[in-house]
């Protein structure tokens, strides 16, 4: 009886699929209810193993969209579900036909989605800023790349237990791929580097750098150039500068320069590393025919000294191929461009490929498809052959392609367009467009949508292939250093009056590290030297650096500003969930002690750290002031920089014999290998017996420095019945509610009640308001009690101000989502409201009504009862809990409009009685799919 009671409980708590297609709208928010994270999509499109469904990520709306491919190319009518997941989903991979794993970059977790009931059933926290997941090995394991920890974590998908942690010798592991047998997993290292590093100014002997014959750098009368460091590159066992001078005597460390790591899934260790592929490695794929690995990448040309030398030619766009024997070959994607002539021709721009965000290899292994975010194209290459003969086609696509996948059986290519949240279907025969569909509501404000093309668009450069995103990748930094001095430039005098005694800006500024574009609001002036009063002052760089023949028009630069200025950091992973600093016993680094010292102790005369690097009230770490060169013991004036991303600059040590993950560290030129080294600068009064301990505490605090976004943002808990009374989970939820009360975040919850997707918004005082206006608020305990096996409920911290939209009014039309579903209007379309349900209603809900599966539980047979709004062919299929087909009750059966029912006799496809247990009955019509659980008892 206890077993039967348990089965009955499962039936009560497990809810089925409700298909509610959404209409694309990019709608300007009247309130600040959207935070612009701009996470880079990694693998936003994937098939289920049967290839019956296409899984597509709606990153700005934090959802997984599901299309039914058995009904034709993806369209609004074949879009069968939109499932809320975590913040900024960037990758999706199906474990089987019933389960998908969605990697959430800002939430630091994986949403495990039940594709039968179409909702999140579990949440797995994996570490800071995960990027991708694949399933491989025997037994099957999940491999998750965790970018800011430089590891691949391995999980048992059945128990979610972590079984291994695999370190990679590289910064930010990104895209993953497996070979056909699942014996190897390959990881593309996002910041692979290119063997460049910096020879600091104090190691460069006077007059040791020769005159540049192409760009003579004579002194400007009255203004000597600052003494700066020098970019060097490792070639074999030697370090050379741009002019061929050898610097082995000054540089005693090495660099790993790993671009792809190969993982043996039997031993879960890195079996081989591959180098020389590219600097920023985006997508990766493995040929199903010969195991060849393909990588889409850009290679930075920062070894080339001076801005005029790299103008219009900052990076090289290419694909790298690695054979199973480990042989690396490179195919450049823009061989048609003549970079010696700047600006280039329109013909060059028309065929250019840039920012190659993703790639896939065809089922027969003959073609590689590579997306070009910069030019709205897909490059089609032959996988074999030389670079000069490999390009087959350059296909125009939807705007901002970031995902591509080939459907070999249907001879179709699916391309995700990031700019407008749409999916395009092309024929692989002639590349004609077969379909184009919205993947759902886009809440991104119009100003950001309209400005995005000026940030990524190759038309902002000399030859059509480069953009600001070439170095400021996805709005962040490439962690590289560039010498963009201009020997022909002019000296910029200091301000007048000049109470600080600033010396002005010399055009020969020397090497400077790429700065992030995140968190720039209210931190002007910009640049390391503070020589740009605002973002518009960079407009001339489109000419001098990007090689364009003219700056952007004022209206275009204004649109560029609207995209860049709202860019936000993700939360800092080192902070506690309650936004406090971690502590540690004496003798161990303590961020809490470091924070106290930073805020309260004088370190430079009477000045405290906080006086210049403002940290009070989660400040950005800068007071926006310029500091004279003499006060810094530097050769030129510098601005006080913000400190919100120090934890992302690790991986470099200036130690003899050390093998580094990258070649640059901290400060304006990347010459300082650690914050501890920086804190040994003579201007800091940190001497005495406690000096080193204080430095360690300060470093811990700086690595945990608040980014302006609280750690509660993105944090998720899924309640599934057993967790409802879990004291730890309840305590974490209490912390989240306390953070909401402090205005550090909003809280929402998502689940299903009575076979309908539901949402809740936390309104304070331990109470939650649902997405139905007539319902009274419920307590946190009552909310958690709604979660159970098959009806799991997920609580999420979301950015302050976004809770109402994300929780209960998705399309901002003033009508709550649950109320809209009740009257068959579309909660994902602001033009479809209860007063105007005829505008793009959820079509499947009009065409079909699922009346139930009765009896349930059953012993011998059960009836599947439904109503058709129009005559249609119908499939009714029974699956077990693992997603395996048990019985096809009906296949393509033509039924008339009206009430219908079909009988399952409780037997499998072989006529044998099915075992007692939980099953799922899926009804498929021309208008969508619906799934209901059913229990067979003995």
């Amino acid at each position: 009886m206890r077993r039967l009671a348990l089965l009955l409980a499962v039936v009560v708590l497990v809810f089925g699929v409700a298909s509610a297609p959404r209409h694309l709208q990019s709608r300007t928010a009247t309130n600040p209810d959207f935070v612009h994270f701009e996470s880079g999509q990694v693998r936003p499109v994937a098939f289920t193993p049967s290839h019956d469904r296409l899984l597509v990520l709606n990153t700005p709306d934090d959802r997984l969209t599901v299309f039914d491919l058995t009904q034709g190319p993806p369209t609004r009518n074949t879009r069968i579900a939109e499932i809320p997941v975590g913040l900024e989903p960037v990758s999706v991979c199906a474990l089987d036909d019933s389960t998908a794993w969605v990697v959430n970059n800002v939430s630091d977790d994986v949403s495990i989605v039940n594709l039968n009931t179409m909702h999140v059933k579990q949440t797995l926290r994996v570490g800071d800023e995960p990027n991708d997941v694949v399933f491989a090995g025997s037994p099957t394991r999940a491999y998750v790349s965790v970018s800011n920890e430089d590891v691949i974590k391995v999980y048992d998908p059945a128990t979610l237990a972590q079984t291994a942690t695999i370190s990679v010798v590289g910064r930010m592991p990104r895209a993953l791929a497996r070979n056909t047998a699942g014996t190897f997993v390959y990881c593309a290292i996002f910041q692979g580097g290119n063997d460049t590093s910096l020879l600091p100014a104090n190691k460069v002997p006077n007059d040791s750098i020769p005159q540049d014959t192409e760009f003579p750098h004579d002194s400007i009368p009255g203004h000597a150039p600052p003494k700066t460091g020098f970019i060097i590159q490792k070639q074999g066992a030697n370090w050379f500068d741009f002019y061929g001078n050898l610097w082995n005597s000054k540089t005693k460390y090495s660099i790993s320069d790993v671009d792809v790591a190969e993982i043996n899934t039997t031993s879960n260790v890195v079996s081989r590393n591959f180098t020389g592929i590219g600097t920023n490695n985006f997508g990766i794929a493995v040929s199903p025919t010969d195991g060849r690995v393909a990588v889409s990448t850009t290679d930075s040309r920062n070894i080339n000294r001076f801005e005029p030398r790299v103008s219009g030619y900052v990076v090289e766009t290419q694909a790298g191929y690695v054979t199973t024997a480990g042989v690396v070959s490179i195919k450049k994607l823009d061989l048609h461009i003549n970079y010696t002539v700047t600006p280039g021709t329109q013909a060059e721009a028309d065929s250019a490929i840039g920012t190659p965000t993703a790639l896939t290899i065809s089922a027969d292994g003959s073609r590689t498809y590579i997306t070009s975010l910069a030019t709205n194209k897909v490059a089609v290459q032959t996988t074999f052959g030389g670079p000069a003969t490999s390009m087959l086609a350059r296909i125009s696509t939807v705007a901002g392609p970031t995902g591509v996948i080939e459907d070999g059986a249907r001879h179709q290519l699916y391309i995700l367009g990031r700019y407008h949240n749409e999916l395009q279907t092309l024929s692989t025969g002639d590349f004609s467009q077969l379909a184009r569909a919205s993947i759902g509501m886009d809440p991104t404000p119009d100003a950001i949508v309209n400005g995005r093309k000026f940030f990524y668009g190759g038309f902002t450069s000399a030859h059509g292939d480069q953009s600001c995103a070439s170095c400021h990748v996805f709005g962040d930094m490439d962690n590289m250093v560039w010498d963009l001095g201009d020997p022909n430039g002019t000296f910029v005098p200091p301000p007048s009056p000049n109470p600080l005694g600033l010396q002005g800006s010399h055009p020969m500024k020397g090497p400077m590290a790429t700065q992030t574009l995140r968190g720039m609001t209210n931190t002007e002036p910009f640049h390391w030297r503070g020589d740009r009063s605002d973002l518009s002052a960079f407009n001339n760089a489109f000419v001098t650096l990007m090689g364009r023949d003219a700056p952007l028009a004022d209206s275009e630069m204004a649109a560029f500003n609207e995209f860049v200025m709202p860019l936000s950091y993700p939360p800092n992973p080192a902070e506690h969930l309650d936004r406090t600093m971690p502590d540690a016993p004496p003798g161990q680094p303590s961020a809490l002690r470091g924070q106290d010292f930073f805020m309260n102790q004088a370190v430079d005369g009477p000045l405290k750290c906080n006086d210049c690097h403002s940290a009070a009230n989660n400040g950005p770490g800068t007071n926006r002031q310029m500091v004279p060169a003499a006060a810094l013991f530097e050769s030129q004036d510098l601005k006080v920089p913000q400190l919100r991303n120090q934890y992302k600059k690790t991986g470099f040590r200036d130690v003899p014999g050390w093998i580094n993950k990258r070649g640059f560290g901290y400060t304006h030129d990347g010459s300082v290998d650690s914050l501890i080294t920086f804190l040994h600068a003579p201007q800091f009064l940190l001497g005495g017996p406690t000096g080193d301990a204080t430095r360690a505490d300060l470093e811990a605090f700086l690595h945990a420095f608040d980014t302006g976004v609280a750690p509660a943002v993105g944090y998720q808990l899924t309640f599934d019945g057993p967790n409802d009374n879990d004291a730890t989970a309840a305590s974490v939820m209490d912390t989240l509610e306390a953070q909401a009360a402090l205005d550090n975040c909003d809280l929402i919850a998502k689940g299903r009640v009575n076979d309908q997707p539901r949402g809740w918004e936390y309104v304070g005082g331990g109470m939650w308001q649902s997405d139905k206006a007539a319902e009274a608020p419920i307590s946190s305990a009552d909310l958690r009690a709604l979660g159970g096996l098959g009806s799991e409920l997920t609580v999420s911290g979301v950015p302050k101000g976004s809770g109402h939209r994300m929780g209960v009014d998705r399309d901002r039309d003033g009508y709550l989502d649950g109320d809209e579903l009740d009257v068959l209007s579309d909660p994902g379309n602001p033009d479809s409201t209860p007063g105007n349900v005829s505008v793009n209603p959820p079509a499947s809900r009009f065409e079909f009504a699922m009346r139930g599966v009765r009896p349930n539980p059953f012993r011998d047979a059960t009836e599947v009862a439904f109503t058709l709004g129009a005559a249609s062919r119908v499939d009714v299929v029974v699956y077990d809990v693992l997603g395996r087909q048990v019985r096809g009750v009906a296949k393509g059966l033509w039924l008339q409009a009206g009430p219908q029912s079909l009988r399952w006799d409780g037997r499998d496809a072989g006529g044998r009685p099915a075992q007692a247990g939980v099953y799922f009955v899926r009804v498929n019509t021309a208008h969508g799919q619906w799934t209901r659980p059913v229990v067979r008892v003995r």
Side-chain angles (χ1 to χ4, degrees), residues 821-835:
L821 289 174
D822 283 345
V823 297
L824 305 179
S825 64
D826 187 348
N829 179 3
D831 295 323
S832 174
T833 68

Side-chain angles (χ1 to χ4, degrees), residues 720-903:
D720 58 4
N723 274 341
D724 292 353
N725 296 316
D726 186 300
T728 300
S731 175
V732 171
M733 189 166 168
D734 288 343
T735 300
L736 291 175
E737 292 182 1
Q739 287 294 289
L742 293 171
D743 288 338
N744 287 331
C745 69
D746 284 352
L747 291 182
I748 66 169
K750 292 291 183 179
R752 298 179 72 84
V753 175
N754 295 330
D755 198 30
Q756 187 182 78
R758 296 296 308 276
W760 293 264
E761 175 189 13
Y762 183 66
V763 294
M767 302 300 290
W768 296 73
Q769 177 60 54
S770 78
D771 58 3
K772 295 188 178 184
E775 291 183 348
I778 62 174
S779 69
S780 298
D782 288 340
L783 179 76
R784 290 195 299 267
L786 294 174
L789 184 61
S791 61
E792 295 83 1
L793 181 136
T794 299
V795 173
S796 304
V798 298
K800 182 64 183 176
S802 64
H804 190 73
R805 172 182 64 82
M806 297 181 69
V808 297
D809 186 11
R810 179 185 176 198
D811 57 10
R812 309 182 178 112
D813 63 0
Y815 295 94
L816 300 186
D817 296 343
D819 290 335
E820 291 207 55
L821 289 174
D822 283 345
V823 297
L824 305 179
S825 64
D826 187 348
N829 179 3
D831 295 323
S832 174
T833 68
N836 187 20
V837 296
S838 63
V839 178
N840 286 324
S844 56
R845 295 177 67 86
F846 274 100
E847 300 292 345
F848 183 94
M850 186 76 186
R851 302 202 310 274
V853 182
R854 302 184 185 91
N856 189 7
F858 75 98
R859 292 184 182 276
D860 299 318
T862 187
E863 295 286 332
V864 183
F866 52 91
T867 299
L868 292 176
S872 174
R873 294 195 182 276
V874 175
D875 296 340
V876 176
V877 183
V878 180
Y879 296 89
D880 64 17
V881 293
L882 298 179
R884 299 172 299 195
Q885 181 171 320
V886 176
R887 178 72 178 274
V889 177
K891 290 285 189 179
L893 180 64
W894 182 264
L895 295 175
Q896 296 298 319
Q900 300 287 351
S901 67
L902 294 169
R903 181 176 181 272

Side-chain angles (χ1 to χ4, degrees), residues 197-276:
S197 189
L198 190 92
L199 189 68
N202 60 6
K203 292 185 179 181
V204 180
N206 290 332
D207 302 322
S208 63
I209 300 175
Q211 182 70 261
D212 192 299
T213 58
E214 186 179 1
F215 297 102
H217 42 281
D218 295 324
S219 296
I220 297 174
H223 301 287
K227 181 175 174 56
T228 67
F230 209 61
I231 295 176
I232 54 177
Q233 187 171 44
K234 197 154 194 298
Q235 300 174 22
N238 299 310
W239 287 98
F240 294 97
D241 62 28
F242 174 72
Y243 303 105
N245 298 310
L246 186 66
W247 293 101
N248 289 358
S249 64
K250 302 290 185 179
T251 311
K252 300 297 186 180
Y253 54 83
S254 186
I255 299 179
S256 59
D257 188 27
V258 172
D259 298 313
V260 173
E262 176 189 75
I263 297 168
N264 185 310
T265 59
T266 300
S267 59
N268 279 333
V269 298
V270 175
S271 48
R272 290 186 294 179
N273 288 313
F274 304 108
T275 67

